[in-house]
Amino acid sequence: MLPAAKPLTVGPTASLVRPDASLALSFERVYDECFAMVWRGLSRLGVPAAQVDDATQDVFLKVHCHLGGFEGRSSVRSWVFGIAVNVAREHRRRVRRDPELLPQLPDVEGGGDPFQAVASHEALRLLDHLLDTLDHDRRAVLVLADWEEMTVPEIAAALDVNVNTAYSRLRAARADFDAA
């Protein structure tokens, strides 16, 4: 299990939420502080479990390439998650084209309880199925709000949409999810 997301900070008091232009962002700091959020987010955005590690690597390759061009118009978290949303979309398309990439039932290692392993797998499969019923835009907003606990303005920045659009998508996503 991955550690919970921790606050983004640079130095003892500076914040990556809206970094000061005088602070140079280090890739290592962004990676360390955003890795868990990206990994969790990709798995909730429909990237098959077998592909989450590769997708996470793809996200951070893009972050590394474009970090110098980060303008600070949103938080670093929002910017990185926006990249993750696009990478998740690319990986889901790949799975549709190549069915061999679909996830398989995990093996039980170390003599663990096979019934618990299957129950956990089924619960995650049901959650993924319910999330799959949502269109991509609503799914992304729901994952960011309910699993990553981002504010709606942060979500709007990450997805490059109007704040009112983000609120509307979140309301609709929650209604659709509850109905499913």
Side-chain angles (χ1 to χ4, degrees):
M1 175 113 342
L2 287 174
K6 54 186 174 180
L8 298 172
T9 58
V10 177
T13 58
S15 171
L16 285 182
V17 171
R18 287 236 184 232
D20 185 320
S22 66
L23 293 174
L25 293 174
S26 97
F27 173 76
E28 291 80 13
R29 172 78 58 174
V30 172
Y31 178 87
D32 288 345
E33 296 184 9
C34 293
F35 176 83
M37 174 193 69
V38 168
W39 196 93
R40 282 190 314 268
L42 290 169
S43 62
R44 291 299 110 209
L45 288 170
V47 175
Q51 300 296 312
V52 171
D53 290 337
D54 291 340
T56 301
Q57 181 177 353
D58 291 348
V59 168
F60 285 105
L61 281 172
K62 290 181 182 200
V63 167
H64 185 269
C65 290
H66 300 288
L67 189 59
F70 177 69
E71 297 174 357
R73 289 182 285 164
S74 67
S75 71
V76 174
R77 264 183 88 199
S78 296
W79 178 71
V80 170
F81 208 89
I83 293 170
V85 167
N86 292 330
V87 168
R89 184 180 299 128
E90 293 167 12
H91 275 263
R92 283 195 321 273
R93 284 182 190 143
R94 248 184 257 150
V95 167
R96 275 188 237 123
R97 287 190 301 257
D98 187 358
E100 290 183 18
L101 295 175
L102 290 173
Q104 303 296 319
L105 187 63
D107 294 329
V108 178
E109 297 178 14
D113 181 4
F115 296 108
Q116 181 60 39
V118 170
S120 295
H121 178 74
E122 283 301 307
L124 288 173
R125 194 179 66 73
L126 176 61
L127 175 61
D128 286 338
H129 173 73
L130 292 174
L131 288 171
D132 282 343
T133 65
L134 302 175
D135 72 29
H136 177 72
D137 293 333
R138 290 180 181 179
R139 180 180 184 151
V141 170
L142 184 68
V143 167
L144 289 170
D146 291 351
W147 280 277
E148 294 305 322
E149 299 176 349
M150 290 177 111
T151 65
V152 174
E154 287 178 315
I155 294 167
L159 301 176
D160 197 26
V161 297
N162 181 292
V163 174
N164 290 333
T165 301
Y167 275 115
S168 175
R169 287 180 184 172
L170 180 58
R171 239 185 337 272
R174 286 181 174 156
D176 292 349
F177 189 79
D178 289 342

